[in-house]
Amino acid sequence: MSEPLGAEFFARSVHDVARDLVGCTLLYEGRGGVIVETESYDRSDPACHAFGGRTKRNAPLFGPPGRAYVYLSYGIHSLLNAVAEPDGEAAAVLIRALEPTAGVEEIRARRPGRAEPDLCSGPGKLTEALGVGLEDDRADLARPPFAVLPREGGWRGVEVVTGPRIGISKGIELPWRFCAAGNPHVSRPRPRAGQPGEAPPVPPLTPPPGAGGGAGVAGVGGGADRAGGLSGAGGGGAEGAAGGGPPPSPSSDLLS
């Protein structure tokens, strides 16, 4: 098994980290799978928890990188975020969906009666399936019970498509949602590469430390051609991830 990704992987542009996590494997107590969907948020987002400054609640967002930021959405669902950017910058990646590959029987037992693509196809679904809770806030993602492993095999060349984040009321035009193209485990609505008006895939950026190779990024719905170009750009945020403010009506993809 590969070594878990360390703090150096996460201490970069949150948008680069969000893109590069697609195709990596997330494990919690041995349960987990390949990350197929993420969203990125930084402190310049007006809906970000860190937008108004540091508080006791949002302190984990300010670092160090590579730690978990876990909080309750709608007072019910635990959401898992990976803290990114250098210490003190306040940014995080919401882990939105997984393709289960490890401890699948346990995952099915935690999500009984669900079709395979719906086991972890949403941020609340995957934390329920893995057993992640508020007690995991601030945990080191490179140490048990967590592990985030670099891309392996065919996932090294995964095509990543970008599009607007979902389930939010602010910054909805920003293409800071990153998905494995065509993967059925991505939450709905599922972006697809090659739709009319989309930007074509672009060459990979310099591979991040331990990432196991880069991936092309295609824009969706008028999105940006390269997520890395948005680093520190500001604007937009998400109540459903590292965000704050009054949330919209709960999305069925949180937990259903």
Side-chain angles (χ1 to χ4, degrees), residues 179-198:
C179 305
N183 190 284
H185 299 269
V186 170
S187 64
R188 301 180 183 88
R190 296 174 180 138
R192 294 177 297 166
Q195 292 180 337
E198 290 178 2

Side-chain angles (χ1 to χ4, degrees), residues 51-225:
F51 183 71
R54 186 173 185 139
T55 67
K56 181 178 179 180
R57 175 196 183 202
N58 68 23
L61 274 174
F62 288 78
R67 299 299 178 95
Y69 175 49
V70 184
Y71 70 95
L72 284 181
S73 177
Y74 309 112
I76 303 172
H77 312 301
S78 295
L79 301 190
L80 173 63
N81 300 265
V83 177
E85 306 215 357
D87 204 358
E89 290 298 318
V93 176
L94 172 67
I95 311 300
R96 277 201 60 91
L98 302 177
E99 178 177 327
T101 59
V104 178
E105 290 304 317
E106 290 184 69
I107 287 174
R108 289 193 186 110
R110 289 174 174 272
R111 299 269 298 150
R114 312 296 182 180
E116 198 77 8
D118 291 329
L119 289 174
C120 298
S121 60
K125 296 178 184 181
L126 75 85
T127 54
E128 182 184 56
L130 271 56
V132 175
L134 291 179
E135 65 276 10
D136 298 302
D137 189 36
R138 301 175 183 261
D140 188 338
L141 295 175
R143 295 176 178 271
F146 285 103
V148 181
L149 308 177
R151 294 170 178 163
E152 295 184 341
W155 287 103
R156 290 191 178 97
V158 61
E159 180 186 3
V160 180
V161 295
T162 67
R165 297 171 294 186
I166 58 177
I168 62 173
S169 60
K170 301 176 183 178
I172 59 175
E173 76 285 355
L174 295 168
W176 292 350
R177 180 189 182 202
F178 304 84
C179 305
N183 190 284
H185 299 269
V186 170
S187 64
R188 301 180 183 88
R190 296 174 180 138
R192 294 177 297 166
Q195 292 180 337
E198 290 178 2
V202 298
L205 302 181
T206 302
V217 182
V220 174
D225 60 352

